[in-house]
């Protein structure tokens, strides 16, 4: 449902990724469940209570879990077991996720629970919402999830705080979970049959992380088009290969969108070459009939320039596919068992399995590596005077030799390309059996999301140096010859650092440019002037 009066209303079916991201970051936004959902939530719980009282054999209701699934439990031990279940799987390690990302996990979990198939009590779901709205942020270390019985460890960190254990950040202070709940004025959960399982047995952690990744990747891909165009014109590349009419003849939605973006961004440039005019110029040389001669400018551009749409397009399509998969997963019931009130029955199932998320994160991660690869190849053309159409070596015009220019920056970008390639090894194929062979095929979805997020971050570092190179080249070529988009980007870079006519340590400048890329500032500047940049093109 849409956000109304700074309140996100969850109904379990219509939450968008964009709404989730906005609510995750905007701590002033309240999160509520649609009033229409509460009757089904209550009816679902009534069925669970009925079956628990009847002592029907249902997983997580009156049985133990995981490798101890065959142990049948008496009803009077349900609270003990549900808390012990959460305690026992809360085994994450490493640096914690940021609070806003944990909030995203919790909103995603609440959206799934409010569908009314999970059996949580109304009072406990309302406590969960209070934790979100009163900014109790459970501490969730980022490593250790199998991603198959859902995100047991990450969601267990959250659930354990809900009944007064583990740790949470509240008002900027890390404190025991019980103290955080008391400080926020929130009642502790009392868990009955299935409730601990409902809180932890789902994909909401990896979904929240993956939605964050694709949001960040979308921004990176738009920046990559902007920076590619800036580099292409300052390398005096040709704009004709990007004409949309060319890409209609080999139509792929991501490729076509990239070609449209580059055409828009290069419009008005007096540096980018019109190959039709170049052809006429070279025709004159041929007509002189002086035998074999060599053109003083390349007849065609290298693939890292000319094939940018074909190279970048598949990454955009991987992103679009990930978006569609995650939107479905976000609005799903993804725990086990599911309670069907309309059928007066339950179904044991495997909806907690994270393979769809793990797979699309792996595909996106592999694809995003190529954005860094093509950027690094254009950087190499800036560095090499033999391939830069008249630029000095390493963009070093003054005191060359005594000065090294921008040579060292490529060390960083090439290193990060290599690092990204190691990170691109898929997590979704790494299944290792555990839990006495009960969880015998697992997804590692949270690992896939973490790796892909690091690839995106590294790519932003690479793009920051390509941007710096393009600005340096623009000063050498003549800023007045830039396209309107190029002038916007040159001005933006020069707000961070001046033209480099002397060597300096510029780590802080690169970090600043990278932070500005990640903020979306450059995309906003360009789109305000030229209109929206496309990720994929949709035929009407």
């Amino acid at each position: 449902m849409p956000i109304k009066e700074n309140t996100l209303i969850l109904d379990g079916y219509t939450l968008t990724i964009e709404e989730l991201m906005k609510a995750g970051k905007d701590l002033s936004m309240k999160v509520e469940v649609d009033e229409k959902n509460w009757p089904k939530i209550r009816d679902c719980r009534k069925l669970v209570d009925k079956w628990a009282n009847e002592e029907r054999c249902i997983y997580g209701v009156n049985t133990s879990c995981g490798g101890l699934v065959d142990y049948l439990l008496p009803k009077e031990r349900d609270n003990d077991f549900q808390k012990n279940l959460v305690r026992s799987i809360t085994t994450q390690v490493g640096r914690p996720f940021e609070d806003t990302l944990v909030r995203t996990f919790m909103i995603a979990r609440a959206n799934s629970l409010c569908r009314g198939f999970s059996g949580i009590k109304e009072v406990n779901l309302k406590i969960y919402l209070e934790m979100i709205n009163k900014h109790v942020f459970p501490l969730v270390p980022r490593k250790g999830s199998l991603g198959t019985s859902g995100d047991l460890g990450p969601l267990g960190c959250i659930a354990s705080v809900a009944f007064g254990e583990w740790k949470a950040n509240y008002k900027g202070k890390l404190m025991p979970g019980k103290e955080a709940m008391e400080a926020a004025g929130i009642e502790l959960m009392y868990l009955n049959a299935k409730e601990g399982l409902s809180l932890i047995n789902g994909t909401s952690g990896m979904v929240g992380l993956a939605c964050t990744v694709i949001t960040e990747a979308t921004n990176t891909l738009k920046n990559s088009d902007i920076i590619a165009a800036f580099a292409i014109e300052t390398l005096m590349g040709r704009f004709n290969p990007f004409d949309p009419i060319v890409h209609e003849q080999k139509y792929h939605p991501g490729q076509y969108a990239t070609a449209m973006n580059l055409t828009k961004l290069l419009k008005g440039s007096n540096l980018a070459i019109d190959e039709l005019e170049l052809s006429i110029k070279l025709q004159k040389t041929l007509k002189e009939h002086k035998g074999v001669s060599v053109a003083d400018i390349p007849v065609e551009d290298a693939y890292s320039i000319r094939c940018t749409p074909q190279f970048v397009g598949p990454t955009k399509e991987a992103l679009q596919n990930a978006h569609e998969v995650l939107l479905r997963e976000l609005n799903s019931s993804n725990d086990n068992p599911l309670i069907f009130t309309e059928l007066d029955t339950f179904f044991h199932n495997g909806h907690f399995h994270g393979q769809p998320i793990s797979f699309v994160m792996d595909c996106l991660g592999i694809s995003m590596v190529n954005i860094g690869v093509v950027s690094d190849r254009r950087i190499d053309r800036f560095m090499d005077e033999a391939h830069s159409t008249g630029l000095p070596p390493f963009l070093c015009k003054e005191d060359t030799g005594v000065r090294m220019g921008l040579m060292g920056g490529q060390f960083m970008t090439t290193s990060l390309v290599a690092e990204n390639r190691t990170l691109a090894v898929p997590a979704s194929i790494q299944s290792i059996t555990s839990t006495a062979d009960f969880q015998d095929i697992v997804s590692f979805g949270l690992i896939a999301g973490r790796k892909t997020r690091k690839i995106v971050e590294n790519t932003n570092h690479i793009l920051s140096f390509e941007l710096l190179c393009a600005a340096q080249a623009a000063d050498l070529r003549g800023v007045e010859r830039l396209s309107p988009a190029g002038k916007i980007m040159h001005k933006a870079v020069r707000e961070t650092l001046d033209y480099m006519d002397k060597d300096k340590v510029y780590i802080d400048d690169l970090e600043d440019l990278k932070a500005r890329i990640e903020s979306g500032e450059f995309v906003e500047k360009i789109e305000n002037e030229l209109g929206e940049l496309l990720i994929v093109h949709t035929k009407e």
Side-chain angles (χ1 to χ4, degrees), residues 371-540:
I371 304 304
V373 168
V374 71
S375 176
D376 183 65
R377 292 300 81 215
R378 287 191 294 262
I379 288 166
D380 191 67
R381 305 194 80 76
F382 280 122
M383 298 294 101
D384 187 350
E385 64 177 328
H387 294 136
S388 64
T389 316
L391 293 170
F394 306 104
L395 299 175
C396 180
K397 180 180 179 182
E398 299 84 6
D399 216 8
T400 310
V402 174
R403 288 183 57 231
M404 304 291 284
L406 297 182
M407 182 189 300
Q410 192 184 15
F411 303 168
M412 176 271 289
T413 63
T414 304
S415 173
L416 290 184
V417 167
E419 181 177 324
N420 278 353
R421 286 171 174 166
T422 66
L423 290 168
V425 176
S428 58
I429 63 170
Q430 303 296 337
S431 180
I432 301 172
T433 186
S434 71
T435 324
D437 218 29
F438 184 71
Q439 297 187 50
D440 61 345
I441 182 163
V442 300
S443 77
F444 296 125
L446 208 68
I447 297 175
R450 286 194 291 106
K451 291 194 308 93
T452 300
R453 195 180 193 197
K454 176 58 70 174
I455 290 170
V456 172
E457 180 188 9
N458 286 344
T459 301
N460 289 331
H461 276 298
I462 296 167
L463 291 173
S464 73
F465 185 63
E466 184 182 6
L467 179 56
L468 189 155
C469 290
Q472 184 82 353
D475 282 304
L476 294 167
R477 301 278 198 200
V479 175
E480 71 283 354
R481 300 170 66 192
L482 289 171
S483 66
K487 288 175 181 174
I488 290 171
M489 294 309 296
H490 178 268
K491 180 182 178 183
V493 174
R494 291 293 168 248
E495 291 167 356
T496 289
L497 80 166
D498 296 330
Y499 169 77
M500 294 178 66
D501 57 1
K502 59 181 180 295
D503 287 353
K504 57 172 272 188
V505 176
Y506 50 94
I507 292 173
D508 287 344
D509 301 310
L510 287 172
E511 291 287 2
D512 184 52
L513 290 175
K514 183 248 191 184
R516 294 174 70 188
I517 287 171
E518 290 178 335
S519 75
E521 173 195 343
F522 300 143
V523 173
E524 183 177 0
K525 286 178 183 291
I526 292 294
E527 290 189 333
N528 283 344
E529 291 296 322
L530 303 182
E532 183 180 5
L533 299 176
L534 299 178
I535 294 296
V536 293
H537 177 259
T538 303
K539 282 188 174 181
E540 295 180 358

